[in-house]
């Protein structure tokens, strides 16, 4: 294969090297042109001949400039798969890109090369799409979006929500998919190919994912407890005659004429607070009480399911999501049809969608819209990077981003009808306004209000089983994804340690997450879950994605990034995407972060008001993950040789080549 020089003609240099001149596994250093390491593929840069292409030259990276194709060496090999006597001929590196060849020979050398180049990929495209949809569509879509929507203007809220999705959420979603697919690395090692000084972002993401796994799965344990309790002829939260009930328990669904008073407590609420959570046995965060053995067993079983779903990689989890990602839609449809037929359902729908245009003038509404679309799509958790890294290089990630983000937003909207038709039914039964019935936020909306409504429907046992089974599948998808973000990041960063020990690493990770969840399994564990949900992850993830967008757009370069996308898809992103990545999306993130930090939420759960010191603790937990970013920056500058200016330049310049498929070989591009 020939290639015309783009600059002046290159002059060939010939070197005669004996096997003794090159150590096993090392490169033939003279001129740095013939790479003798059997563990490396065709590379575009080497040693002193490294030349970083300008932003406009990246499109030429897929061409070979020295006339060699991979694996063409005919030199004899010794028993170790190395070249015994290599005749090296290559042109001098005078063009904007320089390529080197790998003389890999012998069965062992070829096997090592295949192990390096062959990265696990999705069995089918649909496996990837279902995994991403399953990750993006979680418990928050079922309860948080409907609540946020009616709280911030009903139907009018869809305007800021759509605007924030178009200019903030979807561009960031697309950016992470493109980064992961092009560089084919997890959240840690990918920064060597983008901007090494920001590598601390990867470590911060892993810590955040561990925090999420420590409290998010506890909510699934609650759902699992409900699921087990649902296998009865009469659901246990329908009556006030149980051991956990108090004198204030009021069953207004009974045949007797029972009036609802301000002190009344529904049997569903007492089942949730006194039987499942047992919060009455805790005085708050300063006295969490003992550990609930029932919830501990539920969580242990959940983590067992998670382990055997992800221990082998995406080829096994990609099959599991065929059930966990599609089943919720079947259940949502059944519940939507059932809810629409309930008396008073129209009241809930009207309350859900009735527009309050005055709300659009409030800054809080736009902040809530931005936060909802961001946390719903989920960039910044390393999941999109990990999942996309297992795609084929030329997979249409642009189309994937549009499809999956649209499915996610539509699911959130439809979930609102599922929830509010039932809330309208509850208001009809209580003879109250929908706002009084729907005052509960968070998981309480699912485990108290919706559970109570289900309990008083015909065929209540059936609907309770499928509803809580749906919650489990929604949660499992997100857990698979969050842990895969950590697993891929660590395995790509330390392949020499963990690449052949994935099952063992995943087991250790599951054990760590389980031990980290013990505080949420106490009698006051619900208070811990609320604290982590509001403070430990929210501001940290916003900060991480803001820095990620800045690093990619301003340090790596928007032109460079768009050229990367062009190599994969054949066409570069348009001006709309460029403007979003460079300016609008970072501003969007900065806006949400500053709004959150300037006005931190005042936490209250049930009758417990969080003391001020818990806010400080929450911010400290959040900071414990973000702190890895500046720590690594300092570490990077300290270990890099040269003057301060040289250290800065080296630290923001990609240090590792990115492998680009070229026919049957793989090339490295800078």
């Amino acid at each position: 294969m020939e290639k015309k020089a783009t600059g002046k003609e290159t002059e060939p240099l010939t070197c005669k090297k004996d096997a003794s001149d090159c150590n096993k596994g090392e490169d033939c250093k003279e001129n740095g042109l013939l790479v003798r390491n059997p563990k490396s593929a065709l590379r575009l840069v080497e040693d002193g001949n490294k030349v970083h292409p300008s932003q406009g030259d990246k499109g030429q990276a897929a061409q070979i400039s020295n006339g060699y194709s991979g694996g063409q060496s005919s030199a004899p090999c010794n028993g170790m798969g190395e070249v015994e006597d290599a005749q090296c001929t290559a042109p001098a590196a005078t063009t904007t890109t320089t390529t080197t060849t790998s003389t890999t020979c012998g069965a062992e050398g070829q096997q090592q090369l295949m192990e390096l180049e062959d990265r696990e990929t999705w069995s089918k495209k649909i496996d990837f799409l279902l995994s991403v949809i399953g990750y993006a569509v979680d418990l928050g879509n079922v309860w948080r979006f409907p609540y946020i929507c009616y709280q911030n203007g009903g139907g009018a809220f869809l305007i800021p929500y759509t605007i924030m999705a178009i200019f903030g959420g979807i561009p960031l979603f697309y950016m992470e998919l493109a980064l992961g697919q092009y560089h084919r690395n997890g959240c840690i090692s990918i920064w060597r190919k983008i901007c090494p000084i920001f590598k601390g972002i990867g470590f911060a993401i892993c810590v955040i994912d561990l925090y999420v796994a420590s409290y998010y799965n506890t909510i699934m344990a609650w759902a699992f407890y409900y699921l087990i309790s649902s296998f009865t002829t009469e659901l246990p939260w329908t009556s006030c005659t149980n051991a956990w009930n108090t004198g204030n328990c009021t069953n207004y669904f009974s045949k007797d004429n029972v009036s609802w008073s301000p002190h009344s407590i529904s049997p569903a609420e007492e089942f949730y607070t006194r039987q499942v959570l047992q919060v009455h046995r805790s005085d708050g965060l300063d006295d969490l009480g003992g550990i609930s053995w029932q919830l501990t067993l539920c969580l242990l079983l959940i983590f067992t399911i998670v382990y055997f779903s992800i221990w082998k990689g995406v080829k096994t989890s990609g099959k599991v999501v065929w059930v966990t990602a599609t089943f919720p839609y079947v259940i949502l449809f059944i519940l939507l049809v059932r809810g629409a037929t309930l008396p008073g359902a129209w009241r809930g729908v009207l309350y859900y969608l009735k527009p309050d245009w005055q709300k659009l003038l409030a800054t809080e509404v736009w902040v809530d819209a931005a936060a909802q679309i961001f946390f719903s799509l989920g960039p910044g958790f390393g999941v999109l990077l990990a999942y996309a890294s297992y795609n084929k290089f030329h997979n249409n990630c642009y189309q994937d981003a549009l499809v999956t983000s649209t499915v996610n937003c539509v699911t959130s909207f439809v979930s609102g009808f599922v929830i509010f038709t039932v809330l309208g039914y509850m208001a009809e039964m209580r003879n109250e306004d929908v706002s009084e019935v729907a005052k509960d936020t968070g998981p309480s909306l699912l485990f108290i209000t919706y559970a109570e409504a289900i309990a008083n429907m015909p065929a209540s046992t059936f609907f309770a089983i499928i509803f809580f089974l749906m919650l489990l599948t929604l949660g499992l998808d997100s857990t698979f994804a969050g842990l895969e973000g950590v697993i891929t990041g660590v395995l790509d960063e330390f392949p020499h340690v963990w690449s052949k020990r994935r099952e063992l690493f995943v087991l250790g990770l599951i054990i760590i997450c389980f031990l980290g969840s013990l505080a949420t399994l106490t009698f006051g564990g619900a208070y811990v879950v609320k604290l982590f949900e509001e403070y430990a992850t929210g501001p940290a993830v916003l900060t991480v994605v803001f820095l990620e967008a800045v690093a990619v757009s301003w340090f790596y370069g928007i032109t460079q990034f768009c050229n990367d996308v062009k190599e994969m898809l054949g066409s570069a992103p348009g001006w709309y995407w460029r403007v979003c990545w460079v300016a609008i999306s970072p501003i969007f993130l900065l806006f949400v972060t500053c709004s959150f930090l300037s006005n931190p939420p005042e936490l209250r759960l049930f009758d417990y008001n969080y003391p001020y010191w818990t806010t400080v603790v929450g911010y400290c937990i959040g900071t414990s993950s973000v702190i890895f970013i500046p720590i690594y920056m300092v570490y990077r500058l300290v270990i890099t040789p040269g003057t301060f200016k040289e250290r800065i330049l080296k630290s923001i310049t990609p240090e590792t080549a990115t492998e680009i498929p070229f026919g049957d070989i793989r090339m490295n591009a800078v």
Side-chain angles (χ1 to χ4, degrees):
M1 182 174 62
E2 297 179 358
K3 177 183 180 299
K4 295 180 180 180
T6 57
K8 67 180 183 179
E9 291 294 322
T10 59
E11 299 178 0
L13 294 177
T14 305
C15 64
K16 181 77 173 179
K17 297 289 289 184
D18 294 329
S20 59
D21 295 333
C22 299
N23 294 329
K24 178 183 177 182
E26 293 183 352
D27 298 341
C28 189
K29 294 294 185 179
E30 184 169 337
N31 298 317
L33 294 174
L34 180 62
V35 181
R36 301 197 53 190
N37 185 354
K39 294 184 180 180
S40 62
L42 191 61
R43 303 197 299 187
L44 287 174
V45 291
E46 179 65 21
D47 298 334
N49 289 322
K50 285 185 180 179
V51 179
H52 297 283
S54 61
Q55 300 289 356
D57 296 327
K58 185 63 178 291
Q60 303 296 327
Q63 302 182 23
I64 301 180
S65 64
N66 63 358
Y68 283 85
S69 60
Q72 286 185 328
S73 174
S74 60
C77 306
N78 60 17
M80 300 302 295
E82 292 186 306
V83 180
E84 290 182 344
D85 191 4
Q87 181 74 24
C88 316
T89 303
T94 57
T95 59
T96 56
T97 57
T98 304
T99 58
T100 59
T101 58
S102 177
T103 59
T104 304
C105 35
E108 182 177 343
Q110 291 177 358
Q111 181 180 3
Q112 290 174 328
L113 182 60
M114 291 176 62
E115 289 175 355
L116 174 77
E117 294 181 350
D118 292 342
R119 180 180 180 86
E120 184 181 18
T121 58
W122 298 97
S123 299
K124 298 179 182 178
K125 173 69 173 288
I126 191 64
D127 293 352
F128 166 71
L129 292 177
L130 289 176
S131 296
V132 175
I133 291 173
Y135 160 66
V137 179
D138 63 356
L139 296 177
N141 293 76
V142 178
W143 62 262
R144 195 173 190 275
F145 177 84
Y147 174 78
I148 292 293
C149 186
Y150 89 78
Q151 186 184 49
N152 291 283
F157 176 76
L158 298 178
I159 296 177
Y161 179 79
T162 303
I163 292 175
M164 290 299 180
I166 293 174
F167 293 102
I170 296 178
L172 293 169
F173 191 87
Y174 177 27
M175 182 186 74
E176 283 210 354
L177 286 183
L179 284 173
Q181 182 171 304
Y182 183 83
H183 297 289
R184 300 175 68 81
N185 278 109
C187 59
I188 300 177
S189 55
I190 193 173
W191 291 101
R192 295 201 303 264
K193 304 177 180 181
I194 300 176
C195 189
I197 200 172
F198 284 97
K199 191 176 180 179
I201 289 178
F203 295 107
I205 288 175
C206 291
V207 175
I208 293 172
D209 286 343
L210 291 178
Y211 284 155
V212 173
S214 296
Y215 77 83
Y216 187 81
N217 290 283
T218 299
I219 300 178
M220 293 166 56
W222 302 344
F224 193 74
Y225 191 102
Y226 268 86
L227 178 62
I228 296 175
S229 302
S230 299
F231 286 92
T232 57
T233 54
E234 181 180 353
L235 297 177
W237 57 88
T238 57
S239 65
C240 294
T241 59
N242 303 288
W244 59 80
N245 293 127
T246 65
N248 291 326
C249 182
T250 304
N251 186 6
Y252 56 89
F253 282 96
S254 63
K255 296 180 181 180
D256 300 331
N257 293 326
V258 178
S259 60
W260 186 263
S261 67
H263 300 287
S264 297
I265 302 176
S266 68
E269 181 176 351
E270 289 200 342
F271 178 78
Y272 177 59
T273 59
R274 298 180 62 84
Q275 175 64 11
V276 179
L277 303 181
Q278 303 183 60
V279 293
H280 63 288
R281 303 176 65 179
S282 170
D283 294 330
L285 288 174
D286 51 352
D287 183 17
L288 294 176
I291 294 178
S292 171
W293 66 267
Q294 299 97 326
L295 293 180
T296 302
L297 290 178
C298 290
L299 187 62
L300 183 62
L301 183 56
I302 288 172
F303 273 126
T304 302
I305 296 174
V306 170
Y307 174 72
F308 287 107
S309 298
I310 65 175
W311 68 322
K312 291 293 185 181
V314 295
K315 289 190 180 298
T316 55
S317 63
K319 296 297 180 287
V320 176
V321 295
W322 277 81
V323 176
T324 58
T326 57
F327 182 76
Y329 287 96
V330 177
I331 304 306
L332 281 176
F333 177 76
I334 295 174
L335 294 176
L336 178 61
V337 173
R338 180 65 185 120
T341 60
L342 293 172
W346 64 271
R347 295 177 60 184
V349 174
L350 182 63
Y351 192 84
Y352 174 44
L353 295 179
K354 183 180 179 181
D356 183 358
W357 303 108
Q358 294 296 323
K359 288 278 190 179
L360 297 182
L361 302 177
T363 305
E364 294 80 7
V365 174
W366 293 84
V367 173
D368 285 344
Q372 175 60 28
I373 190 63
F374 173 80
F375 287 110
S376 181
L377 292 177
F381 291 92
V383 175
L384 301 177
L385 291 173
Y387 276 171
S389 72
Y390 299 110
N391 275 335
K392 304 293 185 182
F393 183 78
H394 295 292
N395 172 67
N396 193 340
C397 57
Y398 169 70
Q399 185 182 68
D400 296 344
L402 295 182
V403 170
T404 53
S405 56
T406 301
V407 169
N408 175 71
C409 295
V410 171
T411 303
S412 297
F413 183 65
V414 173
S415 297
F417 290 97
V418 175
I419 297 298
F420 274 87
T421 53
V422 172
L423 294 183
Y425 166 65
M426 294 285 292
E428 184 80 9
M429 294 297 100
R430 289 188 182 183
N431 196 23
E432 291 182 332
D433 189 73
V434 179
S435 60
E436 292 297 317
V437 178
K439 63 183 179 180
D440 289 325
T441 63
S444 299
L445 187 64
L446 300 178
F447 294 111
I448 297 178
T449 309
Y450 203 91
E452 183 177 358
I454 288 178
N456 293 278
M457 294 181 187
S460 58
T461 298
F462 169 74
F463 286 107
I465 291 173
I466 65 172
F467 176 71
F468 291 112
L469 193 58
M470 179 191 71
L471 295 186
L472 273 178
T473 55
L474 286 172
L476 284 173
D477 287 331
S478 297
T479 300
F480 296 161
L483 292 179
E484 187 60 52
V486 178
I487 295 166
T488 301
V490 174
L491 264 61
D492 285 347
E493 178 67 12
F494 307 103
H496 55 289
V497 179
W498 297 112
S499 61
K500 301 298 183 182
R501 303 180 181 90
R502 178 187 171 97
E503 295 88 347
L504 184 61
F505 175 76
V506 174
L507 178 61
L509 185 65
I510 292 293
I511 293 175
I512 291 174
C513 293
F514 178 77
L515 294 177
S517 302
L518 291 180
T520 64
L521 299 174
T522 59
F523 301 138
Y527 304 134
V528 180
V529 170
K530 182 74 171 178
L531 181 66
F532 269 80
E533 186 179 14
E534 295 292 339
Y535 285 100
T537 57
V541 172
L542 291 172
T543 304
V544 162
V545 183
F546 170 74
L547 293 175
E548 180 181 296
V550 170
V552 172
S553 301
W554 292 94
F555 288 85
Y556 184 65
I558 190 63
T559 304
Q560 185 72 75
F561 176 60
C562 290
N563 286 338
D564 294 347
V565 176
K566 184 178 181 180
E567 287 183 54
M568 294 188 296
L569 307 183
S571 60
W575 64 267
Y576 157 74
W577 297 103
R578 294 172 184 250
V579 171
C580 286
W581 289 326
V582 170
I584 298 180
S585 293
I587 293 174
F588 154 85
L589 290 166
L590 191 62
F591 168 68
V592 178
T593 305
C594 292
S595 299
F596 185 93
L597 296 177
S598 62
N599 187 26
E602 295 182 1
L603 300 186
R604 175 183 172 85
L605 184 62
F606 307 126
D607 294 327
Y608 178 68
N609 291 311
Y610 284 65
Y612 177 77
W613 63 267
T614 59
T615 302
V616 177
V617 171
Y619 277 128
C620 288
I621 297 174
T623 305
S624 66
S625 57
V626 180
I627 197 66
F628 281 96
I629 301 174
I631 288 178
Y632 186 83
M633 288 181 174
V634 174
Y635 166 77
R636 179 81 191 189
L637 293 175
V638 169
I639 66 171
T640 303
T643 64
F644 183 74
K645 181 179 180 180
E646 291 173 340
R647 295 181 183 188
I648 292 291
L649 291 176
K650 290 179 181 178
S651 297
I652 63 176
T653 303
E655 64 180 18
T656 304
T658 296
E659 293 184 343
I660 308 300
F662 187 81
D664 294 330
I665 60 176
R666 295 190 65 83
M667 299 176 59
N668 287 344
V670 178

